[in-house]
Amino acid sequence: MCGIVGYIGQRDAAKFLVEGLHRLEYRGYDSAGVAVWQEDGIAVRKKAGRVDELAKLVANEPADGSVGIGHTRWATHGETTDINSHPHTGGNGEVVLVHNGVIENYTAIRAQLQSLGYVFRTQTDTEIVAHLIAHHLEEQIRLGSDPSEVQTYVDAVQVSLKKLKGTYGLAIVFRDHDDLMIVARSGSPLVIGVGEGEYFVASDASPLIGYTDEVVYLADHELAVLRKSGLELSHRDTGIHTPDIQTLDQVSSDIDLGSFDHYMLKEIFEQPQSIENALRGRINEDEATAIFGGLNMDPQQLRRIDRIVLTACGTSWHAGLVGEYLLEEFARIPTEVEYASELRYRNPPLGTRTMVFAITQSGETADTLAAMRECQRKGHPTLAICNVVGSTIAREADGGIYLHAGPEIGVASTKAFTSQVTVLTLLSLFLGRMRHMSYPAGQRIIRQLLEIPSQIEKTLQCNDVVKEVAAKYAEANNFLYLGRLYNFPAALEGALKLKEISYIHAEGYPAAEMKHGPIALVDEHTPSVFIVPRCGIYPKVLSNLAEVKARRGPVIAIACEGDEKIAELADDVIYVPDVEECLQPLVTSIPLQLLAYHIAVLRGCDVDKPRNLAKSVTVE
Ligand code: F6R
């Protein structure tokens, strides 16, 4: 939530900053701003609205210079106005900064600073950080520190950070120092790109692509002092240390839209490839099992596991639900799926043989990170299933599995979901084959899994049909999504996709549970999307479908190719290939993603940047 960029070097800073903010816009798009160091003071340009608005402002009122910071905002404290936009200025303009995170004790600090005469212009929590640093800087100088010395600024920042409670990623520039930027983090991600006599700063690596492939990921409580001539890194507890420079393996085509109208559509169509990437190198056909390099647990430890807890938020939580069904069926290990926002404050008994997995696309979700840390604090090995390499959760987990899905830029998660389900299937196979699963059963799963990329390729051919169905129902105000067993989580996920990008109320339910309440919603204006591929309880789902039809509810069925019976019962049918029951969510979720997408487009919604949302939820 919120995206930060920074630059110090010889280039036109504003160009990099605005371009970088475009790439980070998925993190928040309520307002945007930049601050660029100039001889006569720091030029601040900021505006409510999208980064495009900021780009126009900067074009009309250029901010020339080669040191600067920028921010794209997802509002937490204070409305989405020009004045509340970042960067924020402290003191008499000597400190200018951008912030990602939430300062929890801001009201107390604000009152103290007000009593000292500081005047607040915004309703944000961030402004207190700017004034606080300015205050300590003024104090240091008053006590004799040299304002031309970098250490004076570093000390002022360090003293200020000690007073903050909450989370922050900060990039700070100083009016009276033209060759200095300080960045610091606690709980919000920051990466530094290393160039020749120049440094780049960003909330994630995407703005750095095309500029440098050498990066340093900042850890919590680390602070970096950036000057054109060098980078100095220090940790709150251990002091100065050598930066661990890593190589970035992203390329610019990963973040290009190509011929697609939206990132969401591009990412939906990337799924054959992203699933192939999740499978690559992870199958041992001879042993009929999966291979993982990073679990960091020996076979003995793995065999002792008697319970698994999967924790996640949103779409990743839905993938976790599929994981629960898979792990219990394949590996016979009791599994629970916990909302991370609940788990972090609950205190469920976790035995010494319990294994915890945090599932997350971004690896930065605040609740998932907190739940993971809480489990680690209590001594449980906590692993991650994560997409973003180098993200906080990926780095702090005791081990884990990367999705290798490539950057997911559309705010609505699509390819990450199917990659998470793929990885959970592999994990279930792996743990199953260490226990009760037979060799032929393992081989069968592998055979079917390897066919999934081409089955998804085939499924994507339903796009035109889905578009027609979307046109028929785009005006509806309520939808029900119904499925059973493995397709119940798919129903939840389908409903979430529609809600978040088209703003239509939608509920996902186990199809048979519907008659215990939600059936009261059924009328001729409320379409029900039934996920009804062939499975052991196919006739039962058909009965649920008939119950809806009997109440004049329109039915859209997601069914297996060749199912003619369904065409007689449903108003509209979208066909998908027939795959093994446990793998069905991988294909049934595709038409659900497309349905949400086309309905949102028809309703004129901003598909990639839905209102009120942000891709990476780094606040609680
Ligand atoms: C929905 C969506 C969110 C995320 C959730 C968790 O389309 O994207 O519900 O799934 O915010 O995010 P990660 O997986 O990054 O932890």
Side-chain angles (χ1 to χ4, degrees), residues 310-470:
L310 305 172
T311 188
C313 302
T315 290
S316 299
W317 188 84
H318 295 155
L321 275 187
V322 182
E324 176 187 1
Y325 287 22
L326 288 162
L327 286 159
E328 294 197 338
E329 185 174 333
F330 288 14
R332 319 294 304 153
I333 304 176
T335 303
E336 287 137 66
V337 191
E338 288 264 1
Y339 282 117
S341 53
E342 290 294 304
L343 182 62
R344 64 182 292 182
Y345 293 121
R346 260 161 47 71
N347 191 15
L350 299 178
T352 50
R353 296 176 174 201
T354 302
M355 187 187 202
V356 181
F357 269 98
I359 308 172
T360 170
Q361 186 285 129
S362 62
E364 301 293 349
T365 303
D367 286 323
T368 311
L369 176 61
M372 183 179 95
R373 285 179 177 163
E374 182 64 16
C375 294
Q376 286 175 322
R377 191 172 296 123
K378 291 172 181 159
H380 296 284
T382 304
L383 293 90
I385 294 175
C386 183
N387 192 33
V388 178
V389 176
S391 57
T392 310
I393 291 178
R395 283 183 297 119
E396 290 194 17
D398 299 307
I401 310 169
Y402 276 121
L403 300 180
H404 300 309
E408 191 180 65
I409 293 169
V411 164
S413 186
T414 52
K415 63 176 179 174
F417 173 75
T418 47
S419 293
Q420 287 164 340
V421 171
T422 304
V423 161
L424 286 160
T425 311
L426 288 170
L427 182 69
S428 310
L429 168 71
F430 176 72
L431 294 172
R433 287 285 295 132
M434 286 186 149
R435 293 171 164 76
H436 318 275
M437 187 188 273
S438 70
Y439 184 77
Q443 277 189 317
R444 184 181 158 88
I445 298 294
I446 289 175
R447 254 197 325 272
Q448 300 267 340
L449 252 182
L450 289 173
E451 277 177 24
I452 288 293
S454 60
Q455 303 284 27
I456 292 188
E457 200 81 65
K458 250 168 103 183
T459 309
L460 286 164
Q461 290 168 12
C462 72
N463 189 31
D464 289 341
V465 175
V466 177
K467 211 165 165 177
E468 282 167 25
V469 174

Side-chain angles (χ1 to χ4, degrees), residues 7-9 11-14 17 34-44 62-69 93-96 153 172-181 228:
Y7 177 76
I8 182 163
R11 295 174 198 255
D12 172 4
L17 298 175
V34 293
V36 177
W37 196 95
Q38 295 184 331
E39 291 281 338
D40 55 349
I42 295 175
V44 176
D64 297 327
S66 56
V67 178
I69 53 178
E94 57 266 53
V95 174
V96 180
Y153 299 86
I172 314 157
V173 288
F174 303 90
R175 184 193 59 200
D176 301 326
H177 210 303
D178 66 342
D179 181 18
L180 177 64
M181 181 184 306
K228 290 172 191 171

Side-chain angles (χ1 to χ4, degrees), residues 56 59 120 160 201 262 357 389 415 421 429 468 470 498 511 523 527 559 570 575 609:
K56 283 184 212 151
F120 283 80
S160 305
V201 174
H262 298 96
F357 269 98
V389 176
K415 63 176 179 174
V421 171
L429 168 71
E468 282 167 25
L498 188 72
D523 63 15
Y575 287 107
K609 299 187 188 82

Side-chain angles (χ1 to χ4, degrees), residues 114-187:
Q114 275 171 330
S115 72
L116 294 170
Y118 289 88
V119 178
F120 283 80
R121 301 170 197 92
T122 79
Q123 289 93 50
T124 65
D125 53 338
T126 301
E127 194 182 4
I128 68 110
V129 188
H131 281 314
L132 189 64
I133 296 172
H135 169 63
H136 286 296
L137 190 57
E138 285 159 13
E139 278 294 290
Q140 310 266 9
I141 294 169
R142 194 174 60 78
L143 293 173
S145 296
D146 182 349
S148 65
E149 281 293 324
V150 167
Q151 198 55 42
T152 305
Y153 299 86
V154 175
D155 290 345
V157 172
Q158 277 171 336
V159 176
S160 305
L161 295 185
K162 283 193 186 130
K163 299 198 169 153
L164 302 181
K165 286 208 180 93
T167 53
Y168 55 79
L170 290 165
I172 314 157
V173 288
F174 303 90
R175 184 193 59 200
D176 301 326
H177 210 303
D178 66 342
D179 181 18
L180 177 64
M181 181 184 306
I182 298 181
V183 298
R185 74 159 272 182
S186 176

Side-chain angles (χ1 to χ4, degrees), residues 11-259:
R11 295 174 198 255
D12 172 4
K15 184 174 173 293
F16 167 77
L17 298 175
V18 173
E19 190 184 306
L21 291 178
H22 270 297
R23 292 186 188 175
L24 288 181
E25 204 171 10
Y26 71 86
R27 299 178 68 87
Y29 29 83
D30 290 330
S31 66
V34 293
V36 177
W37 196 95
Q38 295 184 331
E39 291 281 338
D40 55 349
I42 295 175
V44 176
R45 308 281 182 263
K46 56 186 195 176
K47 199 151 181 45
R50 301 285 165 94
V51 176
D52 273 341
E53 297 302 313
L54 172 71
K56 283 184 212 151
L57 180 65
V58 173
N60 290 334
E61 297 172 33
D64 297 327
S66 56
V67 178
I69 53 178
H71 186 271
T72 179
R73 178 170 188 237
W74 187 84
T76 58
H77 295 71
E79 284 178 27
T80 57
T81 56
D82 290 352
I83 192 85
N84 284 335
S85 311
H86 298 220
H88 290 290
T89 303
N92 296 315
E94 57 266 53
V95 174
V96 180
L97 57 78
V98 290
H99 167 222
N100 167 206
V102 171
I103 304 301
E104 288 165 6
N105 57 341
Y106 82 102
T107 37
I109 297 181
R110 185 177 166 121
Q112 278 167 14
L113 289 165
Q114 275 171 330
S115 72
L116 294 170
Y118 289 88
V119 178
F120 283 80
R121 301 170 197 92
T122 79
Q123 289 93 50
T124 65
D125 53 338
T126 301
E127 194 182 4
I128 68 110
V129 188
H131 281 314
L132 189 64
I133 296 172
H135 169 63
H136 286 296
L137 190 57
E138 285 159 13
E139 278 294 290
Q140 310 266 9
I141 294 169
R142 194 174 60 78
L143 293 173
S145 296
D146 182 349
S148 65
E149 281 293 324
V150 167
Q151 198 55 42
T152 305
Y153 299 86
V154 175
D155 290 345
V157 172
Q158 277 171 336
V159 176
S160 305
L161 295 185
K162 283 193 186 130
K163 299 198 169 153
L164 302 181
K165 286 208 180 93
T167 53
Y168 55 79
L170 290 165
I172 314 157
V173 288
F174 303 90
R175 184 193 59 200
D176 301 326
H177 210 303
D178 66 342
D179 181 18
L180 177 64
M181 181 184 306
I182 298 181
V183 298
R185 74 159 272 182
S186 176
S188 302
L190 276 180
V191 54
I192 298 169
V194 181
E196 287 280 317
E198 58 180 354
Y199 293 93
F200 308 85
V201 174
S203 296
D204 74 31
S206 55
L208 314 182
I209 297 171
Y211 288 94
T212 180
D213 56 4
E214 297 207 322
V215 296
V216 177
Y217 292 100
L218 224 61
D220 270 351
H221 311 301
E222 272 186 344
L223 178 145
V225 178
L226 306 177
R227 307 196 64 192
K228 290 172 191 171
S229 55
L231 152 72
E232 186 180 273
L233 208 62
S234 62
H235 188 277
R236 183 192 62 184
D237 305 327
T238 50
I240 295 176
H241 60 92
T242 315
D244 173 18
I245 299 180
Q246 301 185 25
T247 305
L248 199 63
D249 64 356
Q250 286 179 21
V251 290
S252 56
S253 60
D254 287 345
I255 53 170
D256 284 348
L257 195 49
S259 58

